[in-house]
Each structure stands twice: as C-alpha cells, then as structure tokens.
Amino acid sequence: MSKLFDGYDLAGLPLPNRVVMAPMTRSRALDTVADEQTALYYRQRASAGLIITEGSQISVEGRGYLFTPGIHTPEQVAGWKRVTDAVHQQGGRIFIQIWHVGRISHVTLQRSGDSPVSSVNLPAAAATAFAYDSAGNPNKVPVSPPRALATDEIRRVIRDFVQAAQNAMAAGFDGVELHGANGYIFEQFLNDGLNSRNDAYGGTLENRMRFLLETVDAVSEAIGASKTAIRISPFGRLHDMKPYADEDDTWLTVAEQLSARSLAYVHLSDQLTLGQTAIDREFLKRFRAAYTGTLILAGGFQKAEAEQALESGIVDLIGFGRPYISNPDLVERLRDNAPLSPVDRSTMYGGDSRGYTDYPRLETSSSAG
Ligand SMILES: Cc1cc2nc3c(=O)[nH]c(=O)nc-3n(C[C@H](O)[C@H](O)[C@H](O)COP(=O)(O)O)c2cc1C
C-alpha cells in the first residue's frame, strides 16, 4: 500500500499527497525579485503535495549569495505574488523559506560594505559566499569576518523575520518556513562550539535556543502558528558547524520546545547528499518521540525509501530536492513508476531558463520523441 499518495492535513491545509518539493536556491533573480520565469518554474511543479521555495532573504543583511530573491521590498513582494498566483491557479500549495545567512556573507553584499553579522565575530572556516570578487565580478569568495550582534540588535533581526513573514502572507503564501538549517544564523546561535556569547543569547542551552524560539514565537504570533514552520539540520556540519558536547540534548530539547508550539511542521534537512554524514536513525526515533507534530525529512530519497519511511511512521512527509529540479512532474512519475530524468549540475545555480524551466514533463518528452 502506497502512503506517498495519501492526502495529509497540514494544520488545516489539505495536501493531496506526501511529496514535498524541498527548498532549493536557483540563483536566477538578477535584481533579487522573483520574475515570470520563477513563476513558471514553480507552477510546473504545482502537483507537489507542498512546494517550499528557495531561501529568500529577509533583509540586505541576511543575504549571502547574489541573485537570490528577497522578501523585504515591495517589488520583491509583488514578484512573489506572481509566483503564488501561478501555483494556486494550478491547484498547488506553497510555503516560502525565509532566510538570514548570518556570517555566511561578504562585505560586497552588505549595505555600505558593512561586516556580516553573527552570534560571535569568528568567520566560518573554508566557507564561501557568492558575491563580488576583487575585480568586481560575481564569484565564489571567502566569507568576510562577521561582527557579533549586540543584544538589542537581536530584537531587530527578529522584527525583520516577522516583517518578512507578514510580507510573505501579503504575497499570498500558504505559510512560512524559517531557515534554521545548514549553518546559517540560527545554528550560529545554537551551536555550543561557536556561540561563546555571555549575554542572554549565549552560554546555557536555554540561552542558545532563545533567538530561535523567540523568532518562532514572534512569527507565530504575527501570522499564526499553523502557518509557521521551521527547517533544521541536527548534527549538520555545513558551514563549519563543529560538534559539541551536549549536541543530542540540544536537538532533543529544541524538538520538545517546537512540539509545544503547534507549528505547521518541522522539516529535517539530512545533509547526506550534501557531502555530509546522514542523521543517525536511532537519533531520528528519539527526535520523533520528542516532537509530536508534523515532521518532514529531506535528503537522498527515492520512491522505495520514501515509502518505507512513511510506512514506519518515522516521518509524515518526504522532501525531494534534486529530483524536483529535473522532474517537474515528479509526483506523476513516482506514481507511475516512470523513470526520473537526471539533474544537470552545471545549471543548478544561475543562468537562464536552461536547466530551470525547460525540463519536460513525461508526456511532453514522450510525445516529442
Ligand atoms: C541546488 C540546490 C539548492 C539548495 N538550496 C537550498 C536552500 O535554499 N535552502 C535549504 O534549506 N536547502 C537547500 N538545498 C538542500 C535541499 O533542500 C535538500 O535538502 C538537499 O538537496 C537534499 O535532498 P536531495 O537529496 O533530495 O537533493 C539545496 C540543494 C540543492 C541541490
């Protein structure tokens, strides 16, 4: 019995299947505004149970890569409105991932060449931003040293998240996913190996979780908990996130805290296909016990593994990343056991419609061939 194609009630939003399009940066918004191509790209994928957009920066300060679409100016909101209209017209559902990169940024992306901000002033080792190089060309460049946010500035960053969430609702999104994964700003506060602050946002576990939980609460209050979600990557090592002593306890306490908040969902990003170690399955069981709401897991899934994970009850919905780039009709292909098209890695980030909106649906490819 297939569970992948069963419906699901996502905090009042009915999903026709359990297939989720995972958030993926595609770096095609030259002026940081989602455009007609963006709308077409997401509309083509509207049969997903749920689409989660690429990360969208909440502020200039929160940007770490050129050509990612933001959600903090009226033009950006109008751009995203085209996207949500297109997806809704096609019968789909769409959350936006809202993003602040913290220290994974570069002075050429910041206002007046300011330093990026983080929990502390340590740069991420061997990490790159996509910014302007010394010749002024878009390029991968080593991240700039950050400065630690002052205590009262943290409230301002939380307000930026709230404003972005409100902008997202004005743009017609069904909800908002906070990007708490992959070594960006929330992990820079959570990680005990990095966050050596001695104010209310550093030190004890309670303090390290404070920024994340205050943001979740402020966004929930502004747009409703049932429209608020978060993505996290327990034990993720991307962007120089180092292991630390009470890591299990940190993630399980985060799980309990999020469980108490009745969010739309929690989304676990397993970095196993991003060159990292997979989340331990025993830990996943403990996470599931600590967090009783809707759980999404993404990373490395094919149909059989997805069915198995749903069948075991360990998660409720399955996120697919790269397969969604090259298979706009992924739901139909999985349902029909049709072959999947491979992704062209050279067009994953940046460029034009090639490798973006020109992957055919199966009918089109077979009728053309
Ligand atoms: C091109 C590309 C861009 C990505 N951008 C994001 C992003 O903006 N936000 C995020 O949370 N994860 C991002 N990811 C991670 C994916 O959401 C997903 O977790 C990862 O690709 C593993 O799933 P997969 O094995 O099905 O591809 C990106 C992955 C790829 C391949």
Side-chain angles (χ1 to χ4, degrees):
M1 278 295 289
S2 172
K3 272 200 143 192
L4 208 42
F5 309 104
D6 284 355
Y8 189 80
D9 177 2
L10 187 72
L13 179 68
L15 311 185
N17 59 64
R18 313 280 181 109
V19 176
V20 174
M21 177 177 173
M24 280 177 294
T25 293
R26 304 305 311 277
S27 309
R28 282 162 165 86
L30 295 183
D31 55 1
T32 74
V33 175
D35 64 11
E36 290 300 335
Q37 277 297 309
T38 326
L40 175 60
Y41 168 71
Y42 285 112
R43 183 165 63 94
Q44 289 171 335
R45 287 153 180 80
S47 63
L50 179 69
I51 292 172
I52 305 164
T53 71
E54 61 212 278
S56 182
Q57 62 270 11
I58 61 162
S59 57
V60 171
E61 178 191 88
R63 181 167 74 140
Y65 307 88
L66 287 165
F67 315 136
T68 56
I71 182 74
H72 55 91
T73 71
E75 295 75 22
Q76 291 166 348
V77 173
W80 280 121
K81 180 81 171 64
R82 276 202 293 252
V83 173
T84 63
D85 282 348
V87 170
H88 290 146
Q89 275 161 17
Q90 204 64 26
R93 298 133 300 274
I94 183 165
F95 271 47
I96 183 172
Q97 186 182 61
I98 58 174
W99 191 18
H100 189 307
V101 298
R103 65 178 182 163
I104 309 302
S105 185
H106 189 255
V107 287
T108 60
L109 299 175
Q110 299 289 318
R111 256 187 232 294
S112 331
D114 289 350
S115 300
V117 300
S118 185
S119 55
V120 292
N121 61 9
L122 285 174
T128 53
F130 191 67
Y132 293 106
D133 63 19
S134 52
N137 296 318
N139 218 333
K140 270 190 170 180
V141 293
V143 295
S144 303
R147 72 178 176 83
L149 282 161
T151 308
D152 58 359
E153 283 181 289
I154 294 175
R155 237 156 279 138
R156 194 258 310 149
V157 178
I158 295 173
R159 275 200 305 276
D160 288 345
F161 270 103
V162 169
Q163 186 61 58
Q166 287 171 326
N167 291 349
M169 298 320 285
F173 282 100
D174 295 302
V176 161
E177 176 182 287
L178 304 179
H179 195 343
N182 302 347
Y184 296 113
I185 198 163
F186 291 112
E187 280 200 351
Q188 293 162 28
F189 276 82
L190 269 178
N191 189 296
D192 199 24
L194 177 66
N195 181 354
S196 56
R197 297 176 70 93
N198 51 22
D199 63 0
Y201 292 91
T204 62
L205 171 53
E206 193 186 354
N207 283 355
R208 284 183 282 116
M209 288 191 306
R210 191 180 305 282
F211 171 51
L212 183 150
L213 294 177
E214 284 185 356
T215 308
V216 167
D217 288 341
V219 169
S220 295
E221 198 182 309
I223 66 166
S226 67
K227 301 196 180 312
T228 304
I230 185 162
R231 188 174 219 216
I232 54 176
S233 44
F235 301 95
R237 300 283 170 248
L238 281 179
H239 293 131
D240 199 26
M241 285 293 118
K242 297 206 167 61
Y244 52 96
D246 68 344
E247 210 165 350
D248 266 54
D249 192 36
T250 295
W251 290 114
L252 294 173
T253 310
V254 167
E256 279 167 17
Q257 288 292 325
L258 294 174
S259 200
R261 286 166 164 79
S262 303
L263 303 178
Y265 63 81
V266 168
H267 186 176
L268 298 180
S269 167
D270 191 332
Q271 299 173 348
L272 83 162
T273 51
L274 303 175
Q276 309 291 318
T277 310
I279 300 177
D280 176 72
R281 285 307 183 252
E282 285 309 307
F283 169 81
L284 197 55
K285 283 185 197 158
R286 292 165 68 204
F287 190 97
R288 178 64 155 178
Y291 172 77
T292 56
T294 296
L295 193 59
I296 307 180
L297 178 62
F301 279 105
Q302 296 182 10
K303 183 176 179 178
E305 292 76 24
E307 293 285 16
Q308 210 174 22
L310 292 175
E311 204 53 55
S312 73
I314 195 78
V315 291
D316 302 296
L317 304 167
I318 305 290
F320 292 86
R322 288 153 311 158
Y324 247 119
I325 293 181
S326 47
N327 298 276
D329 52 347
L330 184 66
V331 167
E332 292 77 9
R333 292 194 196 212
L334 292 175
R335 181 176 288 145
D336 300 343
N337 293 315
L340 301 188
S341 303
V343 67
D344 174 3
R345 296 175 65 88
S346 72
T347 51
M348 283 203 305
Y349 298 101
D352 53 22
S353 61
R354 277 168 296 174
Y356 190 44
T357 52
D358 66 349
Y359 283 108
R361 302 179 68 82
L362 204 57
E363 306 88 79
T364 322
S365 52
S366 52
S367 65

